[in-house]
């Protein structure tokens, strides 16, 4: 390789400037970056507010006005902000993404804080092409008052013109933006729509904003206003919630995090919602509505509230329609969760009636929190309701009544044993509902000395009275016939004496027994290969049991039968009835058994009638 070629290969390539297809970029903004064309008005308000903020940083007494005038497919937005010179226009409006605030600071040496501003002037105007086919900007600089006003006019095909105007065209510093609606978008520029959008986006802005003669801002915010009494405040906030979210809250929770610059309120929903529901909240950034659908603002357990707040510290995403997930947001989420937790503990300490009303609707959310928060569990123990064999009770009251807190992990297991356990004096908590078994198991950690035990079939059987050995021996033939009939179903038959007398039979099993039965069923249906594999997984779990009540009159009559076939049919009927009483799902074999037993009993009854 010669030296000339080497020098050529080492030379830096000439730089090129990206060419932007404005039509394509507008399509990208309207269909992908922004959720709705309505954001054009937010961008215009942001530009106006930022311009006023920039001017007031240098001239604290400068006017702070934003005026919007909509008429026949056009919109005019006037502000008393810092304004632009001709050089600013070329620099800022011809370069997408350049911020007038940042550029001004660089030019004038101002050490402005970026958190004082909401958006970027160039991007904000570009967003207006979502609804406009033509944008005209007339501006006069407050920093260079001797400079002539400048006009920038742009079309949605990407072309623009710039010219200076006589001083009388804009006597005062500030900027006026004129929009001309694109075909089919005129509805977005009607006076009614502009007023609605302006109030939605700008009700908390710190400056005087009006659409025509109608005021947009409504300050101070409802949560910052003074009220004669706490009751008056609750009524006013309830009205605000109804106007904003469409429901009347159970209560309102003040959300104040001074270090994060957050002020707002959380409203407690009046009806239960699923924990899987994604709660959405309204977030204002320095007074401007950022989003109505902020999902990551609160901890997951706080799904029972809806929030509205204003912040100056959280970071918006590129579309400025949601929050950026960072360390600041994580810290705010934790702080807001602590405020809601404090509200709950405050109710428990000083307002039990309101707490009871809240828990009657949202106990699931509190249980979710208490699983991971021992202090919350300790505070809520006297209040959280649980289904028990003694009725609806708190764990605290239930533990005071029973030396051992037995619980089941599923609703089906509870329904199996609840009537029998209650009659035998065994206290049982239904842990089958969401979070309940976790909380019962955590009980000893906040209530030292409490004994907690999962209820299994052996425990239930041990609390049932044994039958006299002589009586059981006399019924050995009956028991043998009954066991032979249920053995193919993986179920044993035992005889006990228990109350209530009205229960003839009780079906008992546990998760390990059901797992073993499912394995056995799968092995029976599998081919030789899988049957061998499933057979190697055979466990030693106890089988299900059908416990016959020796005190029940029906069992006594059945046990006196001499026909083994009739005993088997009756046993199958008792087995099916016990499954139904426990509300257990029936396997195909169980359904076939019930049908067979029903038909067998009908046949026996009709044959018996013919013989008499």
């Amino acid at each position: 390789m010669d030296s000339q070629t080497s020098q050529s290969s080492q030379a830096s390539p000439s730089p090129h400037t990206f060419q932007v297809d404005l039509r394509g970029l507008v399509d990208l903004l309207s269909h992908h970056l922004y959720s709705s064309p309505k954001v054009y008005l937010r961008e215009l308000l942001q530009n106006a507010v930022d311009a006023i903020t920039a001017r007031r940083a240098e001239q604290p007494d400068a006017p702070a006005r934003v005026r919007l005038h909509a008429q026949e497919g056009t919109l005019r937005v006037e502000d008393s902000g810092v304004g632009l010179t001709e050089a600013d226009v070329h620099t800022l409006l011809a370069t997408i993404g350049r911020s007038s605030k940042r550029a001004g600071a660089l030019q004038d040496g101002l050490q402005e804080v970026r958190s004082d501003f909401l958006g970027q002037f160039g991007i904000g105007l570009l967003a207006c092409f979502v609804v406009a086919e033509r944008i005209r900007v007339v501006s006069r600089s407050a920093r260079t008052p001797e400079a002539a006003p400048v006009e920038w006019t742009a079309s949605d095909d990407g072309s623009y013109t710039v010219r200076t105007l006589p001083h009388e065209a804009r006597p005062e510093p500030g900027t006026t933006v004129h929009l001309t609606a694109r075909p089919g978008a005129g509805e977005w520029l009607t006076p009614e729509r502009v007023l609605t959008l302006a109030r939605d986006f700008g009700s908390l802005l710190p400056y005087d904003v009006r659409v025509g003669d109608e005021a947009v801002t409504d300050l101070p915010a409802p949560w910052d206003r003074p009220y004669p009494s706490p009751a008056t405040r609750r009524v006013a906030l309830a009205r605000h919630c109804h106007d904003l979210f469409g429901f009347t809250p159970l209560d309102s929770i003040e959300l104040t995090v001074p270090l994060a610059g957050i002020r707002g309120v959380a409203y407690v929903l009046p009806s239960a919602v699923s924990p899987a529901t994604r709660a959405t909240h309204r977030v204002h950034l320095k007074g401007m509505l950022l989003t109505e659908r902020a999902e990551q603002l609160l901890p997951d357990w706080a799904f029972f509230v809806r929030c509205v707040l204003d912040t100056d510290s959280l970071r918006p995403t590129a579309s400025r329609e949601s929050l950026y997930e960072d360390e600041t947001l994580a810290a705010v989420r934790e702080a807001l969760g602590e405020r809601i937790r404090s509200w709950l503990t405050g109710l428990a300490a000083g307002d039990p009636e309101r707490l009871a009303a809240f828990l009657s609707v949202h106990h699931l959310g509190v249980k979710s929190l208490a699983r991971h928060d021992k202090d919350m569990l300790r505070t809520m123990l006297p209040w959280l309701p649980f289904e028990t064999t003694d009725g609806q009770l708190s764990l605290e009251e239930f533990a005071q009544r029973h030396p051992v807190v037995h619980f089941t992990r599923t609703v089906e297991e509870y329904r199996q044993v609840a009537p029998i356990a209650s009659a035998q004096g065994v206290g049982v908590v239904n842990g089958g509902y969401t979070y309940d078994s976790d909380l019962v198991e955590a009980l000893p950690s906040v209530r030292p000395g409490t004994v907690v035990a999962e209820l299994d079939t052996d425990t239930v059987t041990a609390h049932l009275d044994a039958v006299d050995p002589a009586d059981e021996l006399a019924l050995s033939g009956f028991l043998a016939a009954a066991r032979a009939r249920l053995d193919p179903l993986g179920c044993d038959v035992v005889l006990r004496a228990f109350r209530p007398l009205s229960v003839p039979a009780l079906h008992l099993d546990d998760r390990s027994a059901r797992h073993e039965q499912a394995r056995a069923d799968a092995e029976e249906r599998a081919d030789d290969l899988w049957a061998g594999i499933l057979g190697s997984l055979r466990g030693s779990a106890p089988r299900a049991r059908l416990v016959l009540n020796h005190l029940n009159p029906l069992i006594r009559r059945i046990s006196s039968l001499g026909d083994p076939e009739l005993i088997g049919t009756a046993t199958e009927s008792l087995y099916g009835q016990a499954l139904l009483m426990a509300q257990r799902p029936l396997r195909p074999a169980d359904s076939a058994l019930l049908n067979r037993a029903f038909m067998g009993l009908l046949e026996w009854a009709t044959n018996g009638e013919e013989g008499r």
Side-chain angles (χ1 to χ4, degrees):
M1 182 180 296
D2 57 33
S3 60
Q4 183 177 357
T5 303
S6 176
Q7 291 175 0
S8 175
S9 63
Q10 294 175 3
S12 300
S14 300
H16 298 279
T17 301
F18 282 106
Q19 300 299 311
V20 176
D21 178 3
L22 187 58
R23 288 186 183 274
L25 189 56
V26 168
D27 180 73
L28 178 66
L29 290 173
S30 59
H31 292 97
H32 300 284
L33 184 62
Y34 296 124
S35 62
S36 167
K38 69 180 182 181
V39 299
Y40 87 92
L41 194 66
R42 183 195 65 197
E43 299 296 337
L44 288 175
L45 287 176
Q46 284 184 349
N47 285 339
V49 169
D50 285 346
I52 294 173
T53 301
R55 183 177 180 183
R56 284 202 151 188
E58 306 171 36
Q59 305 172 19
D61 296 330
R65 298 187 306 270
V66 180
R67 298 291 183 265
L68 297 91
H69 304 275
Q71 185 178 10
E72 297 180 359
T74 64
L75 175 64
R76 184 173 84 255
V77 182
E78 303 173 350
D79 69 65
S80 57
V82 69
L84 302 171
T85 63
E86 182 179 4
D88 294 334
V89 167
H90 282 292
T91 301
L92 302 172
L93 298 185
T95 306
I96 295 169
R98 183 73 61 84
S99 168
S100 62
K101 283 74 67 174
R102 179 170 56 247
L106 291 175
Q107 291 168 2
D108 296 343
L110 298 176
Q111 298 300 316
E112 297 174 338
V113 180
R114 288 288 298 143
S115 64
D116 289 341
F117 303 106
L118 298 172
Q120 291 184 319
F121 193 56
I123 286 290
L125 275 183
L126 189 63
C128 294
F129 280 118
V130 174
V131 298
E133 65 177 1
R134 182 170 175 268
I135 301 174
R136 176 170 167 257
V137 178
V138 177
S139 188
R140 182 169 183 175
S141 174
R143 290 171 175 160
T144 314
E146 68 278 6
V150 62
E151 177 191 71
W152 177 86
T153 304
S155 300
D156 60 1
D157 61 2
S159 62
Y160 74 93
T161 61
V162 178
R163 64 176 181 142
T164 58
L165 301 176
H167 283 276
E168 56 269 19
R170 176 83 197 190
E172 299 294 330
T175 300
T176 302
V177 179
H178 303 261
L179 301 187
T180 302
R182 64 171 53 250
E187 61 171 309
W188 294 103
L189 273 63
T190 62
E192 297 79 10
R193 179 62 68 90
V194 169
L195 178 59
T196 298
L197 293 179
R199 283 178 171 166
D200 196 36
F201 284 119
S203 62
L204 301 184
L205 289 174
Y207 304 134
D208 178 18
V209 182
R210 296 178 181 271
V211 176
D213 296 327
E214 298 286 340
V216 168
T217 52
D218 185 19
L219 295 176
W223 51 84
D224 285 331
R225 296 171 189 169
Y227 296 97
S229 67
T232 306
R233 175 183 173 85
R234 278 199 296 269
V235 170
L237 290 179
R239 187 182 306 114
H240 174 249
C241 176
H242 188 273
D243 293 341
L244 199 62
F245 293 116
F247 65 85
T248 300
L250 284 177
D251 206 350
S252 55
I253 308 168
E254 183 179 354
L255 301 179
T256 305
V257 186
L259 292 178
I262 286 179
R263 294 281 300 167
V265 62
Y267 294 116
V268 181
L269 293 168
S271 56
V273 293
S274 167
T277 301
R278 300 293 295 178
T280 55
H281 312 285
R282 287 177 63 95
V283 177
H284 295 255
L285 181 61
K286 307 177 193 66
M288 182 72 72
L289 178 66
L290 181 70
T291 178
E292 301 172 280
R293 299 185 301 275
E295 294 185 348
Q296 66 272 49
L297 188 65
L298 295 181
D300 291 340
W301 56 261
F303 55 83
F304 50 84
V305 298
R306 295 293 180 270
C307 294
V308 53
L309 55 83
D310 187 27
T311 176
D312 59 15
S313 64
L314 296 179
R315 177 182 170 192
T317 58
S319 66
R320 295 195 289 282
E321 293 188 290
S322 59
L323 298 172
Y324 189 84
E325 185 66 49
D326 57 12
E327 293 181 356
T328 302
L329 179 57
V332 166
R333 183 163 48 237
E334 182 177 348
L336 295 181
E338 184 58 38
R339 290 290 306 128
I340 297 174
R341 182 185 289 108
S342 298
W343 169 78
L344 281 171
T345 55
L347 287 186
D351 201 338
E353 290 185 1
R354 285 171 63 202
L355 178 63
F358 166 76
L359 289 179
S360 67
V361 178
H362 295 299
H363 58 274
L364 201 59
V366 180
K367 286 181 177 180
S368 173
L369 171 59
R371 283 188 310 153
H372 307 292
D373 189 324
K374 288 185 178 180
D375 291 336
M376 180 58 63
L377 177 58
R378 186 179 295 106
T379 301
M380 292 292 119
L381 267 182
W383 307 102
L384 288 174
F386 288 78
E387 182 180 358
T388 78
T389 49
D390 293 352
Q392 285 283 334
L393 292 178
S394 69
L395 287 182
E396 176 69 26
E397 186 174 356
F398 187 83
Q400 291 173 359
R401 295 186 183 186
H402 298 277
V404 178
V405 178
H406 289 101
F407 73 99
T408 63
R409 291 192 182 275
T410 67
V411 174
E412 290 80 8
E413 290 173 357
Y414 177 79
R415 289 171 178 165
Q416 275 185 301
V417 303
I420 309 303
S422 180
Q424 311 307 311
V426 179
V428 184
V429 178
N430 184 355
Y433 296 115
T434 306
Y435 310 133
D436 283 8
S437 61
D438 293 338
L439 294 177
V440 175
E441 289 184 296
L443 189 56
S445 67
V446 296
R447 196 177 188 275
T450 304
V451 179
V452 172
E454 183 177 354
L455 190 68
D456 55 23
T457 57
D458 290 335
T459 303
V460 177
T461 306
H463 281 81
L464 305 181
D465 295 335
V467 178
D468 183 88
D471 292 339
E472 187 166 359
L473 181 61
L475 298 175
S476 59
F478 159 72
L479 292 173
R483 287 166 180 159
R485 184 58 65 94
L486 295 187
D487 184 69
L489 296 174
C491 183
D492 290 332
V493 177
V494 297
L495 189 65
R496 292 289 188 273
F498 56 87
R499 298 181 185 279
L501 300 181
S502 59
V503 178
L506 176 66
H507 182 272
L508 293 178
D509 66 357
D510 54 25
R511 282 170 297 155
S512 57
R514 289 195 293 275
H515 177 76
E516 175 60 22
Q517 182 61 54
R519 187 209 58 77
D521 291 343
E523 181 181 356
E524 184 177 344
R525 296 191 302 269
D527 57 27
D528 292 342
L529 174 61
W530 283 109
I533 294 174
L534 292 170
S536 67
L537 299 175
R538 182 180 295 111
S540 58
R543 304 207 305 172
R545 302 171 192 174
L546 182 67
V547 184
L548 303 180
N549 187 359
H550 187 54
L551 301 179
N552 180 266
L554 177 61
I555 296 298
R556 286 182 176 273
R557 288 196 296 272
I558 294 175
S559 64
S560 64
L561 296 174
D563 183 354
E565 184 64 27
L566 185 56
I567 290 174
T569 300
T571 303
E572 288 180 336
S573 300
L574 291 169
Y575 174 82
Q577 187 263 353
L579 284 180
L580 294 174
M581 290 296 294
Q583 301 184 35
R584 290 289 307 280
L586 299 180
R587 299 171 298 162
D590 297 330
S591 299
L593 174 143
L594 279 173
N595 290 331
R596 183 172 64 248
F598 178 71
M599 297 304 296
L601 290 177
L602 280 180
E603 183 177 352
W604 174 81
T606 54
N607 287 340
E609 184 65 28
E610 290 175 358
R612 285 194 286 272

